[in-house]
Amino acid sequence: MPKIDLSAIPARTGSSYPAQYQGQMEGRSQKRLGDAAGLTQFGVNQVRLAPGALSSLRHWHEQQDEFLIVTEGDLVLIDDTGETALAVGDCCAFPAGDENGHHIANKSENDGVFVVMGTRTPTETGWYSDIDMKVEVADGQMAFLRKDGSVMGDK
Amino acid sequence: MPKIDLSAIPARTGSSYPAQYQGQMEGRSQKRLGDAAGLTQFGVNQVRLAPGALSSLRHWHEQQDEFLIVTEGDLVLIDDTGETALAVGDCCAFPAGDENGHHIANKSENDGVFVVMGTRTPTETGWYSDIDMKVEVADGQMAFLRKDGSVMGDK
């Protein structure tokens, strides 16, 4: 059945970020729609943000195109240019290699929801705009490192 | 600016199908959101269907994952299993190689809109479920052929 039963997909909370950043992801839950439906070439996640929550640490991707569409509530795009209000139906695109780091914040009093898709690639490097961190992805494993490549515990 | 100005993107009507099938695409208009925003790895189109319109001829893709989300109105998914109602927020996924041909119909009295994304691949073959036609795509060019590979004008 191509129609996805959204209610049957578990909402995941928590974060794979290093411990000192996990607190910033409170109030975020995600449903992995694409995985549940058998898609392999791009990921599709439905992301729900409680009031005050963030979608991610502000970041950009070297290799992977990213696209999102707001489906519920009022959200805010935060990128290098500042803040941009997003309402239901608004879309954002983040081409691979564009160094304009971005994330989505919920500054409203109600939940906000968006659906985001990103290309799957064998390897990837993501860069975090506001902190000294990058992520290297290979073989499905993520390694969070300082931007100079040193391990996070070094300094 | 990652937020896409939807009002600035032209709505395209018409169809690239062979002439005998173009009439079935009346009432459909599309905005190429991904192209407008600089995405290259997957296509993202916003598709508006007037009452009675179809998204495409019913088809499936050999190589390309496809995903859609309804953003306005009431639509109907038509696939090998029959008809499934779709409302705003409903999502459908069509994994590459799944031979369950599909399209979206608007059987309501008002416009319906969805956003659809599909992987870009160097080549592709699409198969049309209800007619003797396939499409071969290479180098950005589409060739519509009979399912046995003969040209459309042969019979």
Side-chain angles (χ1 to χ4, degrees), chain A residues 2 4 40-41 63 65 91 119, chain B residues 2 4 40-41 63 65 91 93 119:
Chain A
I4 299 174
T40 60
Q41 298 167 1
Q63 296 186 55
D65 278 355
C91 299
T119 316
Chain B
I4 298 173
T40 60
Q41 298 167 0
Q63 297 185 54
D65 278 354
C91 298
T119 315

Side-chain angles (χ1 to χ4, degrees), chain A residues 1-4 37-42 44 63-65 67 69 71 79 84-85 90-95 115 117 119, chain B residues 1-4 37-42 44 63-65 67 69 71 79 84-85 89-95 117 119:
Chain A
M1 165 58 74
K3 180 180 172 182
I4 299 174
L39 301 184
T40 60
Q41 298 167 1
F42 48 84
V44 184
Q63 296 186 55
Q64 297 174 347
D65 278 355
F67 177 89
I69 180 167
T71 59
D79 70 356
T84 305
D90 281 340
C91 299
C92 298
F94 311 101
V115 173
M117 53 268 332
T119 316
Chain B
M1 164 59 74
K3 180 179 173 183
I4 298 173
L39 301 184
T40 60
Q41 298 167 0
F42 48 84
V44 185
Q63 297 185 54
Q64 298 175 346
D65 278 354
F67 176 90
I69 180 167
T71 59
D79 69 357
T84 304
D90 281 340
C91 298
C92 297
F94 311 101
M117 52 270 331
T119 315

Side-chain angles (χ1 to χ4, degrees), chain B residues 5-41:
Chain B
D5 182 358
L6 298 173
S7 68
I9 300 175
R12 296 163 172 261
T13 56
S15 164
S16 55
Y17 289 140
Q20 63 267 44
Y21 298 115
Q22 292 182 4
Q24 294 187 48
M25 296 300 108
E26 285 185 12
R28 179 190 69 173
S29 68
Q30 303 187 79
K31 293 188 174 192
R32 297 185 178 178
L33 309 191
D35 287 348
L39 301 184
T40 60
Q41 298 167 0

